[in-house]
Amino acid sequence: MRGVKLFQGYLWHPKELEFDPKQALPARLGEGLEDGPVHLLIDPVRPPFAFFQDGTPTEGQAFYQLTLLVRTEKAPPQLKPLTQPVSEELDPYLQATPQGVGWMLLEDLREV
């Protein structure tokens, strides 16, 4: 059994916003899927870049690294069909976050 990432990215919010992503987002997704469950890891990190694309400094933001992974015997490319349903399951949780919360998740089919 090995860990394979499906997605990796960041979530951020203004430091003054009372928001806990571990409370707002599920720890597991894809419970009913053949290759599930998918684990959502949320780790606080320093801002990975100094400025957003629009030039706004990131220093006033709390950042978290998000990693969605599954434990499997399959090779990473074989898990591509899992990314769509997991993304669709996570999206309503991200959309329900308060105004000011941002995120960026990219597909990342690699072993951990």
Side-chain angles (χ1 to χ4, degrees), residues 28-39 70 74 81-82 85-86 89:
R28 290 166 48 137
L29 300 157
E31 295 286 345
L33 299 173
E34 178 185 338
D35 295 306
V38 175
H39 302 274
V70 64
K74 292 183 178 180
L82 187 57
V86 168
E89 187 177 345

Side-chain angles (χ1 to χ4, degrees), residues 68-101:
L68 284 88
L69 63 90
V70 64
R71 294 186 56 192
T72 184
E73 293 294 336
K74 292 183 178 180
Q78 293 176 297
L79 296 170
K80 173 72 175 158
L82 187 57
T83 60
Q84 185 66 32
V86 168
S87 175
E88 290 173 0
E89 187 177 345
L90 180 60
D91 188 61
Y93 292 98
L94 293 171
Q95 296 300 329
T97 58
Q99 186 172 4
V101 175

Side-chain angles (χ1 to χ4, degrees), residues 37-75:
V38 175
H39 302 274
L40 174 56
L41 307 179
I42 303 171
D43 299 299
V45 294
R46 292 191 323 209
F49 38 87
F51 298 93
F52 290 105
Q53 284 185 331
D54 68 358
T56 304
T58 58
E59 66 188 18
Q61 304 287 317
F63 270 81
Y64 304 86
Q65 182 170 308
L66 303 180
T67 306
L68 284 88
L69 63 90
V70 64
R71 294 186 56 192
T72 184
E73 293 294 336
K74 292 183 178 180

